[in-house]
Amino acid sequence: MTGTVRRIVGIAGWAALAVAAAGAARAQLPEAAPAEAASARAVLDRYCVACHNARTLTAGLALDTVDPARVTDHAEVWEKVLRKLRTRTMPPAPRPRPDAGSYAALVAYFETALDRAAEAAPDPGRPALQRLNRAEYVNAVRDLLALEVDGQALLPADESGYGFDNIGDVLTVSPGLLDRYLLAAAKISRQAVGDPTLRPTTALYRTSPLLAQDGRVSDDLPFGSRGGLAVRHHFPLDAEYVVRVALRGRSRAGHALEIRLDRERVARFDLGERAPLEVRVPVAAGTRLLGVSFVEALEHSLPLDGRPPPPPITSFAFTLYPNDPSVERVEIVGPYAGRTPADTPSRRAIFTCHPDTAAEETACAQRIVGALARRAYRRPVTAADTAPLLAAYEAGREEGGGFEDGVRWALEALLVSPKFLFRVEEPPAGAAPGAPYRLGELDLASRLSFFLWSSIPDDELVDLAARGRLREPGVLERQVRRMLDDPRARALVENFAGQWLYLRNLPSVAPDTGRFPEFDDNLRQALRQETELFVASQIRDDRGVLDLLRADYTFINERLARHYGIPGVYGGHFRRVAYRDDRRAGLLGHGSLLTVTSYPHRTSPVLRGKWLLENLLGAPPPPPPPDIPELDEPGERAAPATMRERMARHRASPACATCHAKIDPLGFALENFDAVGRWRSREDGAGTPIDASGALPDGAPFDGPAAFREALLREPWATEFATTVTEKLMTYALGRGLEHYDAPAVRRILHDAEPGDYRWSSLIQGVVESLPFQLRRAPEAGDARAQ
């Protein structure tokens, strides 16, 4: 084996590639730009000398049986090789590597060949039949009926695949789930229409015992308030309701409690009077804001000399030994003497007409059912679509004895219809089995709406699609801009970023109360809100996605500022604050990410490194082999004191060494942040200085989080980060995992977005206009997934 051969992929790796390339250097390469083809051919000629008899596997890639001159025969293999060449991780360190020109020639050749092959024979993939997930169901009910419902109370959580819970392959339907849909439809239809036969029930809202109620806890509560909670509750009828409050801690004179409905005070209690904390009030039907809070006592206010108050008692101690009273729960009981409401947002959305006589009821019902079905089914409807709904109307009218009962029954039937619960994309008549076809415009409108809004398309989008105008020049682009400007686009932050950045995991993390007694629910909520506001600002301001790593600002309130050690921030409201140094810049300094990638009692370079590889660099490590021993803790079996020393002992196992060589250095880059995201310069317990040095997979060194971030912003990693964001967006948009045949579309999106610094609008528009989003593969004959 010659020394030159070692320079590309190492002894074993390039030997296999050289065998595959031996005949390709003299063969006719796939059509490409002449300069790129000549450069690639020269590199292949240079590095296939004396290697034609080798056989091996390189990182799971069998390269001895594939021909680089025929990339279409093994496109999946060459896409993996291309990614390794692009990041210069082939050959792996410390083997000698070729010069930049050799890498560039091979990358250019394979990209050109693979992209041209994909253009000649496109494969848009075929997502599985998709059911609305819980978030989409809740949003669809909101947009269809102007009704806010509690999805967690109505439906179970969905399974996730490829990092998201809108993946068709995992959105299965069980008999138990069908029962929940039936119960949800009955409850929602009664809430939307109004059912005067409803009997009083109790809705219970609890506060977390780890919520410190020593200040204003919600923007929905008045200034000058302390503690309590604010909830949006749906009152189903015009009726009287009892609001009852239970406290924890000592109730004593000097404390007053207020109950407010839509920010108007309806009751005030002096806690020294020992009276029941309940009030019976008339409430008009609809979703209303109920707030319960204490009037701020003098000792909690800012001292007159302007100095800030002392730090509050930790929530853990506050729970065990509460000093001031706090709200434990709020009960809403009713309705009493309920009446069908004359007007609510839901009734306005449903009753587009009101019959004056019995003779007008059928025609009015047809109009109502047709309008609801058109919005719910996301397309113009036919008589066949509305017939079962009108049959339910007739049955309900006879059973209940009235027009509105019939409408309620029809609505209940609509909410359990497969045409509402599933996103069905029908192939055109005559589509050849397995052949790609262009989506109909109504199906395209639904894809677009569920991508950007996690909900059904609005009337404007459906009207354009129904008239065949959505693909007219400029129309689709204008619709994407309009939808991103709509408040419903917050779903991108809540559902896309919330899962990509693991924000949904924050409610379940439980830092050790002995080591982190100050971690309370106020901080937990602040950590999540910081990242949500930051990502929302990036999308709203149409920043380049690299700003996710380098932005020199964040959004914090007083609780989070105290946690980060940022002075001069007071109050519970969030505001944009510029950092005074670069150690927390971008997402990598957010306490939310640092907390969900830690263990309850310590940091985890493995969890953090794995998250970085999967979610920022698009290179997830393989799952660990079975029976891997746990990491030694300090004091156990003479374990080394520092985290780096313990990880070095762990990597001594051959079964662990390969993967940890890639994972651990990335995780150590963030070791200056403890398990709840606070900055530290010395290791907990050991007291030794933190060593946050390491190297990226291509060997680029760094020392500390700021240098790590700068290394990620250099090539090839800046492009890899933009690639990963694009791949995550496309996975979420398509509702399926990406395959090798999607890679050319991703490269096209990045190529078009690069001149604008990969702005969010460019990436999102690129996904919407991409072949996988616009096309679909017809089912094969006998395919079980055929719709």
Side-chain angles (χ1 to χ4, degrees):
M1 185 69 64
T2 64
T4 56
V5 173
R6 297 170 182 263
R7 294 176 56 194
I8 283 285
V9 289
I11 295 176
W14 183 253
L17 182 58
V19 169
R26 294 178 298 275
Q28 177 65 41
L29 296 174
E31 183 181 356
E36 293 179 356
S39 176
R41 185 179 290 110
V43 173
L44 293 174
D45 280 335
R46 180 178 182 185
Y47 289 105
C48 67
V49 178
C51 301
H52 60 279
N53 290 324
R55 295 289 187 271
T56 189
L57 292 175
T58 301
L61 303 178
L63 301 180
D64 58 338
T65 59
V66 294
D67 184 354
R70 300 175 59 84
V71 295
T72 55
D73 293 346
H74 298 90
E76 183 174 7
V77 172
W78 293 118
E79 286 289 355
K80 293 178 180 178
V81 169
L82 174 58
R83 192 147 198 167
K84 290 179 178 295
L85 292 172
R86 199 166 58 227
T87 57
R88 303 185 181 184
T89 54
M90 179 185 284
R95 292 174 176 146
R97 292 175 174 175
D99 57 68
S102 298
Y103 272 123
L106 280 175
V107 168
Y109 167 72
F110 281 117
E111 283 189 352
T112 300
L114 288 164
D115 290 350
R116 290 183 179 272
E119 185 177 356
D123 185 351
R126 182 165 179 266
L129 178 66
Q130 285 184 272
R131 168 178 61 81
L132 303 192
N133 66 18
R134 185 167 69 182
E136 292 167 342
Y137 181 90
V138 168
N139 290 344
V141 168
R142 177 202 64 200
D143 295 339
L144 177 66
L145 303 175
L147 180 66
E148 298 177 21
V149 297
D150 183 356
Q152 293 184 357
L154 294 173
L155 298 172
D158 298 295
E159 297 291 332
S160 293
Y162 303 99
F164 300 103
D165 63 2
N166 66 340
I167 304 300
D169 286 329
V170 300
L171 289 173
T172 57
V173 180
S174 66
L177 182 58
L178 287 176
D179 288 341
R180 296 289 292 272
Y181 275 128
L182 291 170
L183 293 172
K187 184 173 183 178
I188 290 169
S189 62
R190 281 168 168 76
Q191 289 182 349
V193 174
D195 182 1
T197 66
L198 284 176
R199 303 178 65 180
T201 59
T202 300
L204 183 63
Y205 299 95
R206 294 182 180 274
T207 64
S208 167
L210 295 180
L211 179 73
Q213 299 188 33
D214 49 11
R216 184 170 178 243
V217 297
S218 170
D219 290 341
D220 290 326
L221 294 173
F223 288 104
S225 66
R226 177 185 69 80
L229 83 166
V231 297
R232 295 189 63 81
H233 178 79
H234 183 76
F235 295 87
L237 298 173
D238 292 345
E240 291 188 343
Y241 297 84
V242 173
V243 181
R244 186 177 299 129
V245 183
L247 305 180
R248 63 170 68 91
R250 294 177 293 172
S251 296
R252 62 181 189 273
H255 291 270
L257 181 79
E258 292 183 340
I259 299 176
R260 293 174 179 265
L261 190 65
D262 289 338
R263 293 186 167 83
E264 295 293 330
R265 190 172 70 186
V266 297
R268 177 185 172 103
F269 302 93
D270 185 343
L271 300 188
E273 297 178 355
R274 295 184 174 273
L277 301 179
E278 67 176 55
V279 61
R280 182 162 174 159
V281 293
V283 183
T287 300
R288 307 197 176 280
L289 177 66
L290 179 74
V292 177
S293 61
F294 298 95
V295 178
E296 181 74 89
L298 181 62
E299 60 267 25
H300 291 288
S301 61
L302 191 68
L304 295 179
D305 60 7
R307 292 175 302 169
I313 192 170
T314 65
S315 65
F316 183 65
F318 182 83
T319 301
L320 294 179
Y321 310 106
N323 183 33
D324 292 334
S326 62
V327 173
E328 178 183 5
R329 67 180 184 273
V330 174
E331 300 174 9
I332 303 174
V333 186
Y336 293 103
R339 301 173 306 281
T340 300
D343 180 58
T344 65
S346 295
R347 288 178 63 84
R348 288 195 295 273
I350 295 168
F351 291 102
T352 54
C353 59
H354 296 275
D356 294 325
T357 65
E360 297 175 350
E361 289 182 355
T362 299
C364 182
Q366 291 172 342
R367 179 178 171 185
I368 290 172
V369 167
L372 288 173
R374 186 179 191 274
R375 285 183 282 155
Y377 298 168
R378 287 88 69 182
R379 56 176 173 80
V381 293
T382 64
D385 293 317
T386 58
L389 305 179
L390 291 172
Y393 160 78
E394 293 292 346
R397 185 175 180 277
E398 294 178 6
E399 180 82 14
F403 172 77
E404 292 197 357
D405 287 319
V407 172
R408 178 168 56 81
W409 279 46
L411 177 58
E412 186 173 339
L414 181 145
L415 292 175
V416 294
S417 170
K419 297 172 185 178
F420 172 65
L421 294 176
F422 293 89
R423 293 165 54 190
V424 180
E425 297 174 341
E426 295 284 358
Y437 67 89
R438 192 167 72 161
L439 285 176
E441 292 203 8
L442 289 163
D443 290 335
L444 178 62
S446 282
R447 276 198 180 188
L448 180 59
S449 183
F450 280 101
F451 171 30
L452 300 182
W453 289 348
S454 295
S455 185
I456 57 177
D458 62 3
D459 288 339
E460 180 175 338
L461 199 56
V462 173
D463 288 343
L464 285 170
R467 297 201 307 270
R469 295 189 53 202
L470 193 54
R471 285 194 173 100
E472 290 181 358
V475 173
L476 188 59
E477 182 179 357
R478 288 194 297 271
Q479 286 299 306
V480 170
R481 289 200 303 265
R482 176 184 72 87
M483 296 174 72
L484 287 174
D485 289 339
D486 192 282
R488 284 170 285 189
R490 180 170 173 78
L492 266 180
V493 176
E494 295 175 347
N495 299 325
F496 168 68
Q499 295 179 85
W500 170 42
L501 302 177
Y502 289 13
L503 299 182
R504 287 190 179 182
N505 295 3
L506 266 174
S508 61
V509 300
D512 185 272
T513 55
R515 298 195 179 193
F516 308 105
E518 70 290 339
F519 191 93
D520 52 26
D521 270 14
N522 311 64
L523 178 58
R524 188 194 310 271
Q525 295 167 9
L527 291 173
R528 178 168 184 166
Q529 192 164 351
E530 174 196 21
T531 305
E532 288 181 341
L533 289 171
F534 175 73
V535 175
S537 77
Q538 293 278 304
I539 297 175
R540 181 180 61 252
D541 298 340
D542 198 19
R543 308 296 300 177
V545 296
L546 296 181
D547 273 13
L548 290 173
L549 298 178
R550 66 191 175 201
D552 62 354
Y553 68 91
T554 190
F555 294 84
I556 56 176
N557 64 358
E558 180 180 354
R559 179 67 187 89
L560 190 53
R562 188 167 67 246
H563 185 67
Y564 286 168
I566 298 176
V569 178
Y570 303 112
H573 65 285
F574 280 76
R575 77 295 310 263
R576 176 169 166 162
V577 173
Y579 290 121
R580 298 184 178 182
D581 55 53
D582 61 356
R583 60 192 188 185
R584 278 199 186 271
L587 282 173
L588 298 183
H590 279 218
S592 58
L593 305 185
L594 298 163
T595 300
V596 298
T597 55
S598 297
Y599 288 120
H601 61 295
R602 63 167 173 83
T603 61
S604 173
V606 176
L607 292 181
R608 289 177 176 175
K610 180 175 180 289
W611 185 88
L612 290 165
L613 284 171
E614 288 180 346
N615 295 285
L616 297 192
L617 303 181
D627 303 323
I628 292 298
E630 295 291 333
L631 187 68
D632 291 338
E633 297 292 346
E636 296 179 0
R637 298 181 295 171
T642 69
M643 176 63 73
R644 188 174 285 270
E645 290 169 347
R646 282 180 277 151
M647 291 303 304
R649 173 181 287 186
H650 189 71
R651 285 196 305 273
S653 168
C656 304
T658 301
C659 290
H660 280 278
K662 294 192 302 182
I663 296 172
D664 295 356
L666 305 186
F668 279 122
L670 304 179
E671 269 295 281
N672 280 114
F673 300 106
D674 70 9
V676 293
R678 294 176 305 191
W679 180 265
R680 59 180 183 168
S681 57
R682 294 185 175 274
E683 187 151 348
D684 299 339
T688 55
I690 296 290
D691 180 1
S693 62
L696 287 168
D698 66 343
F702 57 81
D703 188 356
F708 176 59
R709 183 175 57 254
E710 292 302 317
L712 290 177
L713 290 169
R714 291 192 291 269
E715 294 297 341
W717 300 108
T719 299
E720 286 306 300
F721 174 66
T723 300
T724 302
V725 175
T726 305
E727 290 172 339
K728 295 291 183 181
L729 270 173
M730 184 171 282
T731 299
Y732 177 78
L734 297 176
R736 65 169 175 83
L738 297 192
E739 303 291 346
H740 68 276
Y741 45 74
D742 298 307
V746 173
R747 285 193 290 271
R748 176 65 180 269
I749 294 169
L750 292 165
H751 177 270
D752 292 345
E754 183 181 10
D757 200 28
Y758 306 113
R759 293 184 180 275
W760 279 100
S761 61
S762 298
L763 295 184
I764 291 171
Q765 189 69 41
V767 169
V768 171
E769 294 179 354
S770 69
L771 181 146
F773 195 88
Q774 294 270 339
L775 276 68
R776 180 184 174 99
R777 190 191 329 131
E780 301 285 352
D783 191 336
R785 299 188 307 171
Q787 297 175 1

